[in-house]
Amino acid sequence: MRPDILFPLFAPARTLPGIGPRLEKLVEKLAGNKVVDLLWHLPSGLIDRRSRPKIAEVRDGEIATIEATVGLHVAPRNSRLPYRVHVSDDTGEMQIVFFNARPDHLLKTLPEGARRILSGRIEFYQGQPQLTHPDHIVRPEDMAALPLLEPVYPLTAGLPLKAVQKAARAALKLLPELPEWQDPHWLKARGWQAWHTSLRAAHAPQSLADLETGAPARARLAYDELLANQLALGLVRLRMRRLPGRTVTGDGRMRRKVIDALPFALTNAQTRALEEILSDMKSPHRMLRLLQGDVGSGKTVVALLAMLNAVEAGFQAAMMAPTEILARQHHATLAPLCAAAGVRLELLTGREKGSRRAEILAAVASGEVDILVGTHALFQEEVEFRALAFAVVDEQHRFGVHQRLMLTAKGGVGTDVLVMTATPIPRTLTLTAYGDMDVSRLDEKPPGRKPVDTRALPLDRLDEVVESLRRALTKSAQIYWVCPLVEESDEVDAAAAEERHKHLQSIFGDIVGLVHGRMKASEKDSVMARFEAGDIRILVATTVIEVGVNVPSATVMVIEHAERFGLAQLHQLRGRVGRGDDKSSCLLLYQAPLGETAAARIRIMRETEDGFRIAEEDLRLRGSGELLGTRQSGLPSFRIARIEEQAELLSAAYDDARLVLNADPELEAPRGRALRTLLYLFERDEAIRYLRSG
Ligand code: ADP
Ligand code: MG
């Protein structure tokens, strides 16, 4: 349970002054729907009103705070013209300008003859200085109420800066006095302040330097966040480690049969990864290992051989895929090899129903099924294994990090877990997403892969693309056409794909198929099957095909609005082609003009196919504004920390979390108790459930 002391911070954002029902939605979109979300929403700029010139000294464009005596009010003859108020000091005169003015109101705030302090941006109009709609008008005696330095927050359309400032100020007033969770020596060494001091300082920048990631207040908050992340992962890890493991050693008889049946030899990287996995399985500890490998690097075979090791030893194994399409594909790939090894393989997804389902479940429970492949249906309660020793979670990018942690923790007593991911992740990110999971990398592609010819074209040359497809089709090509990801909404994406499908169908006829996330699983399967069989030659798709789909005869990948995709995603998509013997190509269609980041992404795509390099570049390019790729990837997104710049803090947090959990695995010492608060503060509540007295 979240401690009471944090309650005010987890109240709805609408309880803050100035956030009514209308702004509430905008605030939620911008930052989140809780008070604490506004605290994490840090300023991106600042307005400096400290310049206090005389009227004769003001400069065009500067933000100035002037003190002047109010003179004549001049109302316009017609309401489209501005209302003007003359003001002066001993050096000169200027005009304060208002559009759509309410004269009665202005006469009150700017009474003739009174002294006022006015602050805003100076503009020169016909050689004369003026101030349009001052940001602040106060009496000289109220000068203290005029903020000489104002934080500027990232905004969204319709949400005024003042509202966010006001809400943030109010949120800061709610800060409870929390126990210090950081090591005092570390704080001192870094020159960091207490949490609430840091948070207040981060919201009140005094200079541009205070806005930088490395500014002490921000760095402290980022470290808090990273530590919460590492601690949460560490707790799950610890819990898994504590569960008893099994020693699983097969005699190799099934693996030999499969290896003999394979038309190729394993790469060195595959052999190495397999050895690492087998040695984990042999050890009495529970295995939690990540198999990282670029698209097409051959993870499936490695997973199969590891599963067979368990089967040889008399156990069962399971493989879970994130989508139905993928589960079926794995099943189809594994079926002949399992047959060669004399192993019973079954498929279980939401679509296996009725007596068929009951039959599979019974065979799994009795142990007749050696390997079960499926979607997350595998982890439902009704599925009971006789002796599950090994679980593979494939392409889990589609599962959130926490979902995955829960799944792996639920895998059953003594079950070794291998997580496979197709997106190579930079080492720094591996830490944030997987903590200290053991990692095997397939950093070598199977021999004989041909490079994919990658080109970029502006969208207005779509007709040329269609022509080139016509030529490709005469050479029996099969083509993917991926449609823009408009929003994170299947519905909107589907509409765009449907439209493109109609368009291409009007040109090429019935050989154009369509698959998107809103179709029924059975419809998707039948379209995919027809594409595999070659009845469909052009497959228009949304990113449902991103992960793992394998049709080796497909040789052309067209990506429409490539500028909207993240680098990792483009790489994944391109990985769908270049899998067979024929030369493949990838066309990146973009909407001109390209922004800087999008241009860089496209350039990198053309330069390299090395997934690890692409991943590093992706991280480097991923600015705060670029959420699409991140959200899709399932990697944790940080509110304050910028891992691309703070790798050093991340590894410090990793070490710190380890030390803490070694010394105080239940977080019961005083610092441990304080760290529990930190976990709640960053909403890592799941992790706390792994504590004995959580
Ligand atoms: P991943 O899941 O890593 O994207 P797959 O396991 O689907 O890759 O393998 C991609 C393709 O490469 C498959 O057709 C597979 O049979 C083939 N393959 C795997 N290992 C090798 C190898 N050592 N040599 C040649 N081809 C291989
Ligand atoms: Mg795969």
Side-chain angles (χ1 to χ4, degrees), residues 425-438:
I425 302 169
R427 286 190 194 277
T428 44
L429 277 186
T430 313
L431 270 187
T432 66
Y434 304 97
D436 53 355
M437 224 165 145
D438 300 306

Side-chain angles (χ1 to χ4, degrees), residues 86-98:
H86 293 255
V87 301
S88 62
D89 66 7
D90 48 10
T91 68
E93 195 192 273
M94 67 183 286
Q95 292 184 9
I96 314 299
V97 177
F98 300 90

Side-chain angles (χ1 to χ4, degrees), residues 264-267 270 294-301 446-447 449 579:
F264 49 76
L266 296 184
T267 62
Q270 284 172 317
D294 209 343
V295 206
S297 59
K299 294 183 291 295
T300 319
V301 176
R449 293 279 154 79
R579 306 193 136 209

Side-chain angles (χ1 to χ4, degrees), residues 262-268 270 291-302 329-330 333 337 394-395 420-422 442 444-449 548-550 552 575-576 579:
L262 287 174
F264 49 76
L266 296 184
T267 62
N268 291 329
Q270 284 172 317
L291 179 60
Q292 264 191 321
D294 209 343
V295 206
S297 59
K299 294 183 291 295
T300 319
V301 176
V302 174
Q329 211 163 66
H330 277 315
T333 312
L337 295 170
D394 183 24
E395 316 273 16
M420 302 203 296
T421 165
L442 293 183
E444 174 189 4
K445 281 199 183 175
R449 293 279 154 79
V549 168
N550 188 23
R576 303 301 111 208
R579 306 193 136 209

